[in-house]
Amino acid sequence: MRNLILLSCSLILLLSSCTKQEGKLCDLEERGMQTVVCNPSLVNPRCILAISDKIVIYQDNTDYPFVVYPLPLTGEGFYEGTRGRGPGEVLRPDVRSFVGTTNGFSFVDLGGVKKSYEWDDTGSFRCISTQDINIGAEPLNGVKELSTGYLNMSMDPSFEYRLTNKDGVGDYICSYPDFETDPNDMMPMRFNKTLTVHPDKDKFAAFYGFDPYLRIVSSEGKILKEVLLPLEGVERKPYARPFCFSGNACSDEKHILAKFADRDILLFNWNGKLLRRFQLDTDVSWFTYDFEKDTLYAIDITPEEGPRLVYCDHFLN
């Protein structure tokens, strides 16, 4: 009898310690997007941020790295920033490292240099700091700052991330999910993902490109929650598996928004629970959400005439 009680207690403890769960779907809500006629037009957008009273879009392989559209949106904007290796100039950013701040943004540039910018009294932005950060020898691959140090998605075949602490000591964390793989798969590519960090920097959420799956991970590398959703991705050549989460994700203290497939935006809490599910009336590649103004801004790269900026007011409410 005593052994049976001990066994029952052990099973209860084991089950309570499990982090993986099956996600439950909620009703699909439709949202219509408004198109903005932009001047200057978008060329090769790779990232979009809503900062204070401006929309900032980073563009690759252009003379001017940023195009800025003041709010409320009229479509009229201006270029910002210069390319180069000089102080405050932009060389080749890790596009997944961009983070908006109260009055500006930061990113990690080629060579492992964190650059921070703020708007000045003239309406232009200026570089307020540059900082060399130590992330090891691996390439920049979505560098994120946590309370414990800098996180970089690794090229290691056994671990998803390299976490480098403030003293420059690095360690590999988080084994890859136990999903189907091909012998020829490169693990970092098979488990391609997009991340968003909690404002307190004590945890982050990872959304997977080829699986309807997310993880909530502590800043020390402990997996807090794993959720597998009953959703199917979209076929996208040349990939052998349906594409699920892509682009980027946005978060505040309570909520996370992530893009699924081409048109769905999913709203989660930081326990990994799916709260709401939206479907847009147009494809989008990257998006940003203004939590104060309740407006979703996004970039659609599918039109033949070139990328366009779209938005939806009162997105949640």
Side-chain angles (χ1 to χ4, degrees), residues 20 35 72 87 93 208 255 260 284 308:
K20 187 175 292 185
T35 301
Y208 288 73
H255 297 116
F260 187 88
V284 298
R308 61 176 181 161

Side-chain angles (χ1 to χ4, degrees), residues 195-208:
L195 310 182
T196 184
V197 177
H198 190 276
D200 292 339
K201 300 181 181 179
D202 61 342
K203 55 191 168 187
F204 64 93
F207 297 87
Y208 288 73

Side-chain angles (χ1 to χ4, degrees), residues 1 89 168 208 242:
M1 183 67 176
E89 292 183 326
Y208 288 73

Side-chain angles (χ1 to χ4, degrees), residues 67-79:
V67 59
V68 180
Y69 300 104
L71 298 176
L73 280 175
T74 64
E76 293 298 317
F78 53 91
Y79 291 120

Side-chain angles (χ1 to χ4, degrees), residues 5 45 55 70 75 81 95 98 106 108 111 139 154 157 163 196 227 243-244 246 254 262 270 275 278 283-284 286 302:
I5 294 173
I55 296 299
V95 294
F98 276 91
S106 67
V108 180
S154 81
L163 178 60
T196 184
V227 179
F243 220 84
C244 295
S246 64
K254 295 182 179 180
D262 292 326
W270 276 98
L275 303 176
F278 305 92
D283 292 355
V284 298
W286 297 278
T302 60

Side-chain angles (χ1 to χ4, degrees), residues 141 154-157 159 176 186-193:
N141 193 15
S154 81
M155 300 303 292
D156 189 277
F159 295 96
Y176 287 97
M186 287 183 61
M187 295 297 278
M189 295 299 297
R190 164 64 181 88
F191 293 102
N192 179 51
K193 65 190 76 69

